[in-house]
Amino acid sequence: MNLKEIRQAAREKMKGYCRVCKTCDGIACAGEVPGMGGIGTGSAFTANVKALADVKLNLRTIHDAKDPDISTNILGIDLSMPILSAPITGSEYNMGGAIPEAEYIRMVISGSKNAGTVGMCGDGGNPVFYTSGIEAIQEAEGHGIPIIKPRENPKIIEMAKQAEKIKAPAVGMDIDGAGLVTMALMGQPVSPKNVDELKEIISSVSLPFIVKGIMTTDEAELAKEAGAAAIVVSNHGGRILDSTPGATQVLPDIARKLKGKITILADGGVRSGTDVLKYLALGADAVLVGRPVIIGAFGGGAEGVQLVLETMANELKQAMILTGCKDIKSINSSILF
């Protein structure tokens, strides 16, 4: 199995839902929500990809970074790479349903584990989305992180307790899911949270709590104030609000304020190990990968997910050699042009 074969198989299985474009930039699928595209004009999706592409690296080869160490630790979890699989649900209405929800998330969680990293499971209008993820993580002996939609607080706390029960290392909420079209279509009440509501949730859970969907410095600080262990700088793949900037455009300001005070994760437009390096240089501690992992799962199952992640890890290592970074901690803005 190779990436070309995986992409071809995924293209056939997701026909009518994802074109598996040579360049996954959101242009061909603009407005396809439900589906794989960005909301409205699709500009928030394309902004992620374009902003990341506009970040340039300094080539350096007079140094001792000959065999970089790409391992890291995030929220007490030892990882072989600073790359995690993002929480994505909706195999039927977003990806065509060739793979059932429970089977899809099992592929993501086990494939991520086999690559030495962690996969996240998501939540959605159908209860099977979250329960399938919980079951997959339990099968993987707790090796996964559940992410919950911003439902009513008692429901979020109840669902977070399930994560505790299966001994997940962390749990979180994609707070930007407050505006998801797919949740509204399925009659699920979601809404923004104020700081007191966030504090209530986080204080009720014993696990490190991740707040996903932060795009401004002030909200990053509010998440920290509420007790979050980590944030994910993300515009939800461009799927909830048109005309937002790309994550890389807002990440540096957030990192300047909060680097070292809270774990900073980021996602949006990651397609290669070089993209991972850019995010780390801009201030992220690790990144989440979404659409490439979907293609890996649909095109090659758990093995496909593992191959996608390991390929990115190898590309990251090569990019670190060519920018003079001996380990993850040594990556900083000095490698950016």
Side-chain angles (χ1 to χ4, degrees), residues 317-329:
K317 193 170 184 177
Q318 182 68 10
M320 288 170 66
I321 290 172
L322 294 172
T323 51
C325 303
K326 64 179 181 180
D327 53 29
I328 300 304
K329 289 182 180 178

Side-chain angles (χ1 to χ4, degrees), residues 20-45:
V20 190
C21 299
K22 184 176 181 180
T23 301
C24 178
D25 55 14
I27 293 175
C29 56
E32 296 180 5
V33 180
M36 293 285 284
I39 194 86
T41 66
S43 68
F45 181 160

Side-chain angles (χ1 to χ4, degrees), residues 16-285:
Y17 290 81
C18 179
R19 298 158 184 81
V20 190
C21 299
K22 184 176 181 180
T23 301
C24 178
D25 55 14
I27 293 175
C29 56
E32 296 180 5
V33 180
M36 293 285 284
I39 194 86
T41 66
S43 68
F45 181 160
T46 58
N48 276 334
V49 178
K50 184 181 184 304
L52 192 53
D54 286 343
V55 177
K56 303 301 179 184
L57 299 168
N58 290 319
L59 173 66
R60 288 193 175 100
T61 50
I62 303 176
H63 53 71
D64 288 322
K66 299 178 182 181
D67 185 22
D69 178 7
I70 65 168
S71 65
T72 191
N73 183 287
I74 298 295
L75 300 176
I77 313 164
D78 288 327
L79 302 175
S80 66
M81 62 184 81
I83 309 168
L84 298 83
S85 294
I88 297 172
T89 59
S91 173
E92 288 186 17
Y93 57 78
N94 285 325
M95 311 164 207
I99 298 175
E101 193 75 28
E103 189 177 340
Y104 164 74
I105 193 58
R106 194 177 294 116
M107 292 171 176
V108 172
I109 296 298
S110 62
S112 301
K113 181 180 180 180
N114 291 341
T117 186
V118 168
M120 294 180 172
C121 73
D123 179 22
N126 188 334
V128 75
F129 294 171
Y130 190 72
T131 57
S132 294
I134 289 290
E135 289 167 4
I137 293 172
Q138 188 169 25
E139 287 175 15
E141 300 176 326
H143 204 86
I145 300 174
I147 303 294
I148 305 163
K149 290 287 180 282
R151 302 166 176 275
E152 295 175 348
N153 274 22
K155 185 63 177 177
I156 294 172
I157 294 167
E158 175 193 327
M159 295 169 76
K161 294 294 183 184
Q162 291 179 262
E164 291 179 349
K165 192 173 181 180
I166 62 167
K167 295 181 170 53
V171 69
M173 173 175 60
D174 47 349
I175 197 166
D176 54 359
L180 272 178
V181 174
T182 48
M183 289 295 287
L185 289 173
M186 292 189 170
Q188 297 291 322
V190 290
S191 66
K193 301 291 180 186
N194 61 38
V195 173
D196 288 339
E197 288 170 322
L198 263 181
K199 284 180 178 178
E200 180 189 16
I201 295 166
I202 295 170
S203 65
S204 301
V205 181
S206 63
L207 300 174
F209 200 90
I210 303 166
V211 178
K212 183 178 184 292
I214 299 296
M215 287 289 286
T216 63
T217 302
D218 63 309
E219 290 217 325
E221 292 178 321
L222 289 174
K224 181 180 180 298
E225 178 189 335
I231 57 171
V232 183
V233 178
S234 170
N235 68 5
H236 211 100
R239 294 173 59 77
I240 53 166
L241 178 64
D242 205 354
S243 298
T244 63
T248 55
Q249 292 171 282
V250 303
L251 174 60
D253 283 343
I254 292 173
R256 271 190 287 273
K257 285 273 188 176
L258 291 169
K259 185 75 171 180
K261 300 176 183 177
I262 191 171
T263 297
I264 301 174
L265 309 176
D267 73 12
V270 178
R271 304 291 182 261
S272 69
T274 303
D275 290 337
V276 174
L277 180 61
K278 291 177 182 181
Y279 264 119
L280 299 181
L282 290 167
D285 295 305

